[in-house]
Amino acid sequence: HSRDSSGAHVVEPEGRDMEFNPDQITFLEELGEGQFGKVHKAKAHFVHDQARSSTMIVAVKTVKAHASSEVRDDVLKELRMMMRLLDPHPNVVTLLGYCTKSDPVMLVVEYVPNGDLLSFLRNDRAARNVTYANLHTESRTLQNTDLISFAWQVSKGMCYLASKQCIHRDLAARNVLVGKNKTCKVSDFGLARDGPEYKKVKDSPLPLRWMAPETLSIERLYTTKSDVWSFGVLLYEIVTLGSTPYPTMSAQQAALEVQMGMILQKPTHCTGDLYFIMENCWHFLPDERPPFSELSAALSRLVVDEK
Ligand code: ADE
């Protein structure tokens, strides 16, 4: 503990006790299956003193029962990465705690109620295709302002990650969660690392359709600028309401073409302004791509224009 100028106690982030006791957690339904284990909705119980206790709904990631030590290491790496992102940002899923003394290891994160952005977009597309209009489908349908706002929010989350030297490595609509009031939160730091390096992803297919040419190349280079490339692909997913990028190609074919300089075409319903931003994300040379701060500023102007 240290004191600020007002004399009040300030708890340093490092000093926060974030270790959960396994019996503080009551598991509820399964939310999904991640790369190295499952994600459950859960109730976390806190005892403040003899008179006061409280509960909170959280999401808990656990490692598969027979996980290798390598997988366990990966979870601990994800944890270490998330520990750098402790000052909460509205567009990044916040770590609430962990349980490393337990086996399996658990990560306790903020519960985000409306599922992943890819399913959210695809559900909206399905709702639009329903021929009869009823109140429910009407209220579901996303407006252009919503779509631009999703893009802007993700760019702000990525700005924050980049400012903490965090490279995501798997930015895609499936790894963005949707919260209350259509808030987008960047999630799944399973692959996130803090420096450009080679990393073979064990037992999981590479996200080829989201990868930059330099990441697809033999160097396997990951930087914040390769995250910017993936962000451009995420914009494509948003404007197409969840289409698979390079829809006519196999992932391997798309990867080869991207290494030869191909980029995604402008989708039918995409404005020139938005496609201009996407094209900038897809400069072949990483240094030519804009930083997330610039993308965020450009998208905020489009949000204002839509209003
Ligand atoms: N699925 C994966 N992670 C989640 C989270 N934090 N909240 C809700 N659903 C999730």
Side-chain angles (χ1 to χ4, degrees):
H1 288 202
S2 61
R3 279 169 192 280
D4 68 10
S5 53
S6 68
H9 276 293
V10 181
V11 180
E12 305 288 348
E14 302 77 38
R16 254 185 251 174
D17 188 9
M18 297 180 70
E19 181 83 38
F20 274 70
N21 201 324
D23 51 54
Q24 268 177 283
I25 310 279
T26 308
F27 282 87
L28 304 171
E29 72 262 28
E30 189 180 317
L31 293 169
E33 198 146 9
Q35 215 172 272
F36 41 68
K38 291 188 171 170
V39 184
H40 282 88
K41 187 172 176 175
K43 227 182 223 178
H45 305 264
F46 302 93
V47 177
H48 305 289
D49 54 48
Q50 279 177 333
R52 290 180 314 137
S53 67
S54 62
T55 62
M56 181 185 184
I57 295 294
V58 296
V60 179
K61 286 182 154 193
T62 46
V63 180
K64 291 184 185 100
H66 305 292
S68 63
S69 61
E70 257 182 354
V71 169
R72 199 185 148 95
D73 283 354
D74 275 358
V75 175
L76 293 176
K77 275 184 194 152
E78 177 174 8
L79 178 57
R80 241 169 268 138
M81 174 55 68
M82 290 190 93
M83 293 289 282
R84 289 218 233 139
L85 309 170
L86 285 184
D87 26 319
H89 186 284
N91 305 113
V92 174
V93 172
T94 311
L95 178 72
L96 300 172
Y98 44 78
C99 195
T100 51
K101 293 186 183 116
S102 65
D103 192 19
V105 171
M106 299 191 274
L107 297 192
V108 183
V109 301
E110 165 189 15
Y111 173 69
V112 188
N114 293 317
D116 70 277
L117 179 60
L118 183 61
S119 309
F120 198 81
L121 293 167
R122 288 183 175 173
N123 285 342
D124 183 74
R125 190 204 295 211
R128 285 179 194 212
N129 290 339
V130 173
T131 47
Y132 55 88
N134 62 35
L135 262 176
H136 179 68
T137 57
E138 292 259 321
S139 65
R140 270 213 72 99
T141 304
L142 296 168
Q143 307 297 313
N144 277 347
T145 42
D146 294 318
L147 300 181
I148 300 293
S149 165
F150 292 163
W152 180 44
Q153 293 184 57
V154 175
S155 75
K156 286 190 285 182
M158 289 308 296
C159 240
Y160 172 74
L161 293 196
S163 77
K164 302 284 181 187
Q165 279 76 47
C166 171
I167 303 167
H168 190 294
R169 290 164 188 254
D170 196 9
L171 181 59
R174 63 182 171 276
N175 289 331
V176 173
L177 296 172
V178 183
K180 282 193 197 127
N181 302 321
K182 298 177 193 161
T183 310
C184 289
K185 291 173 185 273
V186 179
S187 164
D188 230 303
F189 301 85
L191 290 173
R193 295 290 181 275
D194 59 357
E197 61 162 88
Y198 170 84
K199 168 89 167 75
K200 187 169 178 305
V201 185
K202 289 147 288 220
D203 308 329
S204 62
L206 287 167
L208 294 176
R209 294 174 197 270
W210 284 262
M211 282 160 66
E214 70 277 10
T215 318
L216 291 164
S217 80
I218 197 83
E219 279 83 35
R220 282 271 182 274
L221 191 64
Y222 285 96
T223 62
T224 291
K225 291 302 174 88
S226 57
D227 276 351
V228 168
W229 178 289
S230 308
F231 178 74
V233 181
L234 194 157
L235 293 182
Y236 173 92
E237 295 184 276
I238 292 174
V239 284
T240 60
L241 297 178
S243 289
T244 299
Y246 316 98
T248 62
M249 292 180 212
S250 70
Q252 277 74 16
Q253 214 178 342
L256 283 175
E257 297 275 349
V258 163
Q259 284 176 275
M260 289 191 294
M262 181 196 61
I263 61 166
L264 284 158
Q265 285 176 347
K266 186 171 95 59
T268 317
H269 298 291
C270 182
T271 62
D273 282 345
L274 192 62
Y275 190 63
F276 179 73
I277 296 176
M278 285 152 73
E279 281 180 306
N280 279 321
C281 295
W282 299 328
H283 273 292
F284 197 84
L285 298 174
D287 288 345
E288 300 285 311
R289 296 172 208 149
F292 279 110
S293 54
E294 215 170 278
L295 290 166
S296 188
L299 286 164
S300 79
R301 285 192 289 272
L302 293 191
V303 171
V304 173
D305 290 351
E306 283 288 336
K307 283 191 177 149

